[in-house]
Every structure is written in C-alpha cells, then in structure tokens.
Amino acid sequence: MKVTVLGCGGSTGVPMVGGPGGYGDWGACDPKEARNIRTRSSILIQMQDGAGVLVDTGPDLRAQLLAHGISRFQAILYTHAHADHIAGIDEVRGINRVIGQPLTAYGAADVLAELEERFTYIFKPWTPPGFFRAALVAHPVPFGQKVAVNGYEFLLFEQAHGRIGSAGIRCGDFAYSTDVVELPESAFRHLAGVDTWMVDCFQRQPHSAHAWLARVLEWRERIQPRRVILTHMGPDMDWAWMQANLPQGVEPGWDGLTLELPDPPAIP
C-alpha cells in the first residue's frame, strides 16, 4: 500500500492569502523552505493491484493530481463536509473520463447527504456515453463498521471537530485523523495497534477545532504508534522548528511525502 500526501495544509493553506505586497502571509514559516508550502489536506491510498482511494476533494485537487501524476482511482472517502475538504469535487470529472465510469463516494450518511444537497448534479444517475459533469455514487458507511472499498478493508471511526464531527480512517496498519480536536473512547479502540498514524496538528497553541502539538503528543502516549506524521498544519508550524523540536517518532508531513505500508486485508 502506498500513501501519497497530496496536501497537508489547513483551510487557508500555507502561505495564506495576504502578506507583504499580497504575495502570501507565511506566519512563522520560512518561505525559503519548500516543505513549508502546503496545499489543502488530502491523501491518496493505492494498493499493489492498482486500486486507489482518494481521501477528500479539496480546492487544490486539480493541481495536486497533476503535480503527482495521478489520473486514476476508483473511490473517494470523505472525512467531513467543510469546504477545504470538498470544494474540488468537480475536478473528479477528469478521473471519470479516464476510468470510464462513476466513482463511489464513501462517508458518514450525514456528510454524503450534505454533498448530495450541495452538488445535486454530481449524484444524478450517469447516462453514458461521456462525462459532461463529475459523476459520483454515494455509499454511506456507519462508524465502526468495516467496509470493502475496492475489495480492501477500511473502517471509519468517529471524531470531534469543534462544532461538527469528522471521520477518522483505519486501513490496515495505517490511520488518518485529519480535522480532529477530541477523540471519543471508541476512536481509541479503533486506533489500538496502529503502526503509522497521520494526524491533525494545526498549531502549537490550543485551538477550538483542531489538535495542537501537546494534544497530539498526549494521544501518542496513549495509542503508542511506531510513527506519527503531522498534517493539516497551519502557518505556525515551521519545518525547521519541527525538525529541531519534535520527539523521535513524530515528524511533519509535507506535500508529496509517500509512505510504503503493507496492504490491508482483502475482502472477497
């Protein structure tokens, strides 16, 4: 299984719009360090047989797919319905054209219902030939229930993200927890034994809707993953500072990072 980090930034990305002359507000991040450039958070999970699952369709999706040479996957997994995780949904029309069929969209029932309400045309039944619009088929997934995605076992678990919830994802020995500030006990059960955990860490100080560094380190002590990779990072999280200050076993993600992990169990 290969995991590609398409983007690891917060809702505004890094740099944020603004700054001197309008060329970007970098906050505490050094603009000379390329790994401080962060597009909106998304990952692609690819199995050895070529099956691919995209997690979220943020507003930077087209540029992310082109930058990483990605033109084929069969499913999308949505963590929640905030704009920085769904606003690039129309860009999957190009994928529809390459694979010649609609994609399946997985997520919590309320998330998919909101997507269907906001993007009604995308979820209408597809009539071949051709794709003049993106085409998705909704497949709601209950929290805590294993589901076959492209023939492989995935599990969504509940998280708290400020005023709304979000879905964490477990796929074999890998877990992904973007946009989370609180983990219920059920999430800790689903994260037990995970090897590699990619987790929201927006900044160093406490935040009302996102995990911060001290909270992530507390979770790490309880879950004990071998490797923790930070994502959904804002302009407070400078690459060089993190390299100098993060404990062993905790590292910053960056746009373009790839991970090689064992495939999860296949489901006949």
Side-chain angles (χ1 to χ4, degrees):
M1 180 172 76
K2 178 181 178 181
V3 178
T4 302
V5 178
L6 304 182
C8 63
S11 61
T12 61
V14 179
M16 300 181 292
V17 171
Y23 290 100
D25 182 350
W26 292 84
C29 290
D30 180 0
K32 297 178 182 178
E33 171 53 67
R35 286 163 292 192
N36 279 328
I37 300 173
R38 302 182 184 118
T39 58
R40 269 60 75 92
S41 291
S42 177
I43 61 172
L44 181 73
I45 301 173
Q46 296 168 293
M47 306 306 173
Q48 292 183 10
D49 64 4
V53 181
L54 178 71
V55 179
D56 291 334
T57 55
D60 301 310
L61 182 61
R62 178 179 177 274
Q64 291 170 337
L65 297 179
L66 291 171
H68 299 291
I70 297 165
S71 62
R72 180 179 293 272
F73 48 85
Q74 297 77 30
I76 304 171
L77 226 167
Y78 282 101
T79 60
H80 63 300
H82 278 167
D84 57 317
H85 292 262
I86 67 170
I89 192 171
D90 282 291
E91 303 297 350
V92 304
R93 177 176 61 163
I95 305 299
N96 290 137
R97 289 173 170 172
V98 169
I99 68 174
Q101 64 186 48
L103 291 96
T104 305
Y106 297 85
D110 61 331
V111 171
L112 294 182
E114 183 170 345
L115 288 173
E116 290 186 77
E117 180 181 356
R118 293 171 66 176
F119 303 99
T120 306
Y121 59 97
I122 289 177
F123 291 88
K124 288 181 177 179
W126 173 60
T127 303
F131 290 91
F132 65 91
R133 59 172 173 84
L136 298 180
V137 177
H139 186 117
V141 179
F143 287 127
Q145 181 174 307
K146 294 176 182 177
V147 62
V149 180
N150 296 341
Y152 291 90
E153 186 179 286
F154 282 73
L155 182 143
L156 269 61
F157 56 88
E158 193 169 6
Q159 304 179 147
H161 174 36
R163 297 180 180 178
I164 69 165
S166 66
I169 300 164
R170 179 75 184 261
C171 180
D173 293 330
F174 172 75
Y176 183 67
S177 292
T178 191
D179 292 66
V180 56
V181 68
E182 298 280 356
L183 290 172
E185 285 301 314
S186 59
F188 287 108
R189 291 195 297 272
H190 295 309
L191 285 165
V194 73
D195 175 85
T196 302
W197 186 32
M198 192 173 295
V199 59
D200 179 9
C201 187
F202 184 67
Q203 61 189 29
R204 286 173 279 181
Q205 298 301 314
H207 191 281
S208 62
H210 292 277
W212 57 95
L213 185 54
R215 173 149 292 182
V216 169
L217 296 180
E218 289 175 6
W219 288 341
R220 176 190 179 229
E221 284 299 308
R222 179 168 178 181
I223 298 167
Q224 294 289 307
R226 178 184 63 87
R227 187 179 185 187
V228 172
I229 302 168
L230 308 182
T231 191
H232 210 283
M233 293 175 287
D236 182 51
M237 303 297 284
D238 175 65
W239 176 269
W241 184 91
M242 289 189 285
Q243 291 293 97
N245 291 279
L246 293 179
Q248 186 175 1
V250 181
E251 63 192 91
W254 47 277
D255 289 22
L257 171 67
T258 60
L259 311 173
E260 296 288 345
L261 299 160
D263 277 1
I267 298 177

